[in-house]
Amino acid sequence: MRLILLGPPGAGKGTQAANLIDSLNIPHISTGDIFRANIKNETELGKEVKSYLNEGKLVPDELTTRVVWDRLDQEDCKCGFLLDGFPRTIPQAEALKAGLIERGLELDKVVNIDVDTDILVKRLAGRRVCKSCGATYHVAGNPPKVDGKCDSCDSEVIQRDDDKEETVLNRIKVYENQTQPLINYYTKEGLILTFDGTKPIDELSQEILDALNESK
Ligand code: ADP
Ligand code: ADP
Ligand code: ZN
């Protein structure tokens, strides 16, 4: 299956992706994770994108699209993929569409996770992530079993630089201006499935899996 996870920052895309990939048996492709790994490893790409991430701005479309196709053209994406955080703009969606057509491929569904802004701010402010494996937690709603330590790999659990309050508000604005129009775009393409992102994590995962099975 070729799927997109759409939703504002803090909607739970990464959290759902982690739950969904085992059942769907496709790789989780997160542009945010790719950028953060490159920043951590101080690659050329990392140097180029660092300031955008720190300021909560979008990395330019052309660069982002190139990075995504480099990844999607790898062997493990031949049977499908779960895109998380891409596309985030109409030009990115158009570039994805053109690239898929070139390769004779089609998207199956766009999973849209809906959450109100006031909840997003609380979620992002309380979000904590594992420094090494990227697992996602929340200080109040979904803390690691041992304080400050990742459940899966025992590494340190930290706050992302861009989850500080000023950046969070900026990222939500960027979402409203640049990404929200994609809901309409993919509705017109007949691909949208919308879910209530305020439901408990596992309940929501099951709902998404059921809906994807039904739509086959
Ligand atoms: P995104 O990838 O869309 O930015 P995340 O998956 O990182 O979102 O989730 C943002 C924060 O919200 C995390 O702290 C996560 O633990 C929490 N969260 C995710 N899904 C839910 C949910 N259904 N209910 C409550 N909190 C959630
Ligand atoms: P969240 O799910 O919390 O919004 P992500 O990890 O998806 O965060 O993205 C973090 C940052 O990486 C974004 O604020 C942006 O700077 C950059 N980024 C990720 N995906 C894209 C994209 N498709 N286009 C442009 N920039 C992106
Ligand atoms: Zn970890």
Side-chain angles (χ1 to χ4, degrees), residues 5-212:
L5 271 177
L6 190 63
K13 301 183 296 299
T15 302
Q16 289 305 320
N19 269 357
L20 296 172
I21 44 165
D22 288 335
S23 315
L24 297 172
N25 210 11
I26 48 177
H28 170 208
I29 317 285
S30 156
T31 39
D33 286 351
I34 294 174
F35 290 145
R36 278 186 293 276
N38 277 276
I39 293 171
K40 193 172 155 194
N41 296 328
E42 298 179 349
T43 66
E44 279 309 308
L45 173 65
K47 284 176 205 156
E48 228 173 313
V49 303
K50 190 173 181 177
S51 63
Y52 295 105
L53 271 87
N54 281 343
E55 290 165 34
K57 290 182 182 157
L58 292 185
V59 174
D61 287 332
E62 213 192 89
L63 177 57
T64 304
T65 301
R66 212 180 325 134
V67 167
V68 167
W69 275 115
D70 276 351
R71 183 64 189 88
L72 295 185
D73 281 331
Q74 287 173 26
E75 198 54 38
D76 63 329
C77 295
K78 291 281 182 284
C79 319
F81 48 76
L82 178 61
L83 273 173
D84 162 10
F86 181 93
R88 255 178 157 93
T89 66
I90 297 278
Q92 288 180 14
E94 292 287 2
L96 177 65
K97 188 175 174 180
L100 287 168
I101 291 172
E102 244 172 62
R103 292 163 178 80
L105 303 173
E106 273 179 24
L107 279 176
D108 290 289
K109 285 287 167 207
V110 176
V111 171
N112 179 39
I113 306 181
D114 184 41
V115 175
D116 280 348
T117 307
D118 51 331
I119 299 175
L120 295 176
V121 177
K122 287 194 193 104
R123 281 194 185 177
L124 291 167
R127 171 160 65 183
R128 297 294 182 270
V129 293
C130 172
K131 223 173 154 174
S132 50
C133 78
T136 303
Y137 301 93
H138 191 278
V139 283
N142 179 27
K145 291 193 183 86
V146 178
D147 193 30
K149 291 249 183 273
C150 177
D151 291 353
S152 359
C153 76
D154 215 37
S155 297
E156 198 190 346
V157 168
I158 55 161
Q159 183 173 42
R160 262 169 55 177
D161 283 340
D162 61 345
D163 279 344
K164 310 275 152 66
E165 194 167 331
E166 336 64 273
T167 326
V168 160
L169 296 175
N170 192 28
R171 283 161 58 213
I172 292 172
K173 272 207 197 88
V174 168
Y175 167 81
E176 286 168 353
N177 294 331
Q178 312 249 64
T179 309
Q180 211 164 23
L182 291 177
I183 298 177
N184 201 8
Y185 178 92
Y186 285 120
T187 301
K188 282 190 192 144
E189 303 245 319
L191 294 175
I192 283 269
L193 293 171
T194 295
F195 298 88
D196 173 1
T198 64
K199 291 197 174 163
I201 293 170
D202 291 338
E203 197 180 314
L204 181 56
S205 306
Q206 196 53 54
E207 230 179 76
I208 295 172
L209 287 173
D210 290 345
L212 289 174

